C-alpha cells in the first residue's frame, strides 16, 4: 500500500505522518509518500519513515499525480495533511479490498474534530462525515489511477477528487465505501 499525502500545511504534516507510522509499525508493505511545496529538510530529518518529494506548485492535483508516479503499491491511499488515521485504518482498507476485489477503489469514513470554544465552521466541515469521493480518505487501485491518467491538473485546489471519481465511474468502474476505514479531520483555524 502506498499512502500519498499532498501537503501544503507544514504545521500539520508531522502529526499526520507520525500517526500513519504509529499505526503501520510492523506492516512491511506500506510506504508513505509526502509531496509538498515547502522546504523539506527538517521533515526528512525528523520523519525518515516517509519519502519526501518537493513540488514547487501549490496544485494539489499535480502533487497527487507526482505521488502516484512514485508509488510502488498496488493500492494507493490518499489522506490530507490535516487528517489523522484512526486505529486499524490500513488493515480495514486492505481487508475491504480483499473482500471486494472488483472495486476500482473505495472511500473511508471521516470524523470531524470538534473544538469547543474555537471559531470553526462546523457545519461546513460536518459535510465531510457523509460519504463522498474526497481524497482526505480514499483508496484506489494504482492501475486504475494510471489508466485514467491521474488527476486533472486544471483543478488546482478543490474538486479534483470528485472529478477523478466521476472519470472512473464513467469508465464503468465501481467505487465502494468502507465505514471501518476511518480518519479524523482536525480542527483548522485561520484558513478560508
Amino acid at each position: 500500500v502506498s499512502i500519498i499525502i499532498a501537503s501544503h500545511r507544514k504545521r500539520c504534516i508531522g502529526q499526520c505522518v507520525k500517526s500513519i507510522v504509529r499505526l503501520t509499525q510492523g506492516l512491511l508493505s506500506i510506504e508513505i509518500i509526502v509531496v509538498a511545496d515547502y522546504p523539506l529538510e527538517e521533515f526528512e530529518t525528523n520523519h525518515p519513515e516517509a519519502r519526501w518529494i518537493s513540488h514547487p506548485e501549490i496544485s494539489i492535483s499535480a502533487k497527487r499525480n507526482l505521488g502516484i508516479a512514485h508509488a510502488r503499491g498496488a493500492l494507493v491511499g490518499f489522506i490530507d495533511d490535516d487528517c489523522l488515521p484512526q486505529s486499524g485504518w490500513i488493515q480495514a482498507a486492505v481487508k475491504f479490498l480483499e473482500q471486494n476485489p472488483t472495486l476500482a477503489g473505495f472511500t473511508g469514513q471521516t470524523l470531524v474534530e470538534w473544538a469547543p470554544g474555537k471559531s470553526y465552521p462546523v457545519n461546513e466541515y460536518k459535510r465531510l462525515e457523509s460519504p463522498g469521493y474526497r481524497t482526505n480518505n480514499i483508496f484506489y487501485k494504482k492501475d486504475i489511477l494510471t489508466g485514467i491518467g491521474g488527476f486533472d491538473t486544471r483543478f488546482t485546489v478543490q474538486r479534483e477528487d470528485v472529478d477523478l471519481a466521476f472519470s472512473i465511474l464513467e469508465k464503468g468502474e465501481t467505487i465502494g465505501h468502507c465505514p471501518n476505514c476511518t480518519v479524523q479531520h482536525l480542527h483548522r483555524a485561520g484558513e478560508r
Side-chain angles (χ1 to χ4, degrees):
V1 180
S2 297
I3 304 301
I4 298 173
I5 311 164
S7 178
H8 60 272
R9 296 180 195 90
K10 64 181 183 178
R11 72 183 182 283
C12 297
I13 191 63
Q15 187 178 5
C16 180
V17 169
K18 271 194 240 179
S19 293
I20 296 169
V21 169
R22 181 178 44 82
L23 293 177
T24 60
Q25 284 181 335
L27 302 176
L28 299 176
S29 56
I30 304 292
E31 69 175 344
I32 303 167
I33 302 170
V34 181
V35 184
D37 57 20
Y38 46 80
L40 299 177
E41 293 78 17
E42 169 191 345
F43 298 99
E44 290 171 324
T45 300
N46 294 335
H47 306 286
E49 309 87 354
R51 198 158 18 133
W52 297 86
I53 301 170
S54 181
H55 185 70
E57 298 175 34
I58 195 165
S59 171
I60 204 87
S61 299
K63 288 177 192 167
R64 289 193 174 115
N65 286 341
L66 187 55
I68 293 166
H70 285 270
R72 296 180 295 229
L75 181 62
V76 176
F78 295 95
I79 186 170
D80 285 350
D81 56 11
D82 60 351
C83 293
L84 300 177
Q86 301 301 288
S87 181
W89 181 60
I90 293 287
Q91 294 87 339
V94 170
K95 183 176 180 182
F96 188 77
L97 187 60
E98 286 173 351
Q99 294 171 345
N100 300 279
T102 61
L103 292 177
F106 52 91
T107 63
Q109 183 64 43
T110 299
L111 305 174
V112 175
E113 177 186 34
W114 173 246
K118 294 186 179 181
S119 173
Y120 189 53
V122 174
N123 290 337
E124 180 182 336
Y125 286 98
K126 281 300 221 185
R127 71 179 167 75
L128 298 174
E129 292 186 345
S130 58
Y133 301 121
R134 295 181 276 298
T135 43
N136 71 299
N137 186 14
I138 199 163
F139 290 80
Y140 287 111
K141 293 176 180 173
K142 185 178 179 185
D143 62 341
I144 295 290
L145 292 171
T146 55
I148 205 81
F151 292 89
D152 185 333
T153 56
R154 292 177 295 178
F155 295 90
T156 57
V157 293
Q158 285 190 344
R159 307 293 185 244
E160 80 292 340
D161 43 10
V162 175
D163 175 72
L164 177 79
F166 287 166
S167 296
I168 291 170
L169 294 171
E170 285 174 357
K171 294 283 187 190
E173 300 287 350
T174 305
I175 301 170
H177 176 69
C178 176
N180 299 327
C181 192
T182 308
V183 303
Q184 182 182 45
H185 190 287
L186 298 176
H187 169 78
R188 206 171 68 212
E191 287 188 28
R192 292 187 342 197

